[in-house]
Amino acid sequence: DKLLFKMSRSWDEDTERAETPPGCWDDVIVEEFKNTTIIKYPYTNDHTLKDPAYSDSYCNYITETCINRDLLVFTEKTWKPIRAGQFAIWLSNPGAVEFMRYLGFDVFDDIIDHSYDVELDLHKRIDTLMNTIEIFISKDVDGLFRKTASRRQQNIELFYSEALLNSLTAQCVE
């Protein structure tokens, strides 16, 4: 009852079923989706933090655009929770969390088990990630959020830093 679920594109059951492996839909109650009001907006890539997903949440479960094993891709979906000072759990490319560590971001390994980040098999990665989420939400997240205020602030400062700009620029040049 405390989950904000957003999708930026309209949902089509036939397309979703065609694009997902057999067995993934066994326990899905599709009627809940069919009865949902879909508001169609012109497509925009919103880089603001105005949405309650960033102002009223402790953690952001990030589903990145690309989860290809051979390429790391970071979009606004990764950067907005960092800017908002949230905990983050990524469904992304294997190695995405490790790369965030490499850049100097605190991914709160003492609070969140990111072992899913090394799993190459997508289905196993999702299973491991779901276990991570279950364990995380069973904790005193409000207390952890308060205790980590300075660490989260350091992530925000790193995001806006010249050091991050230089590091990412150097990697692009390479």
Side-chain angles (χ1 to χ4, degrees), residues 29 66 74-75 86 105 114 125:
I29 302 169
C66 176
F74 294 94
T75 67
Q86 295 175 308
F105 288 99
H114 294 289
R125 188 169 13 149

Side-chain angles (χ1 to χ4, degrees), residues 7-8 11 31 40 53 88 97 117 127 149 156 173:
M7 292 170 48
S8 63
W11 185 82
E31 288 306 313
K40 294 188 178 184
V97 177
D117 189 52
D127 288 343
I156 294 168
V173 170

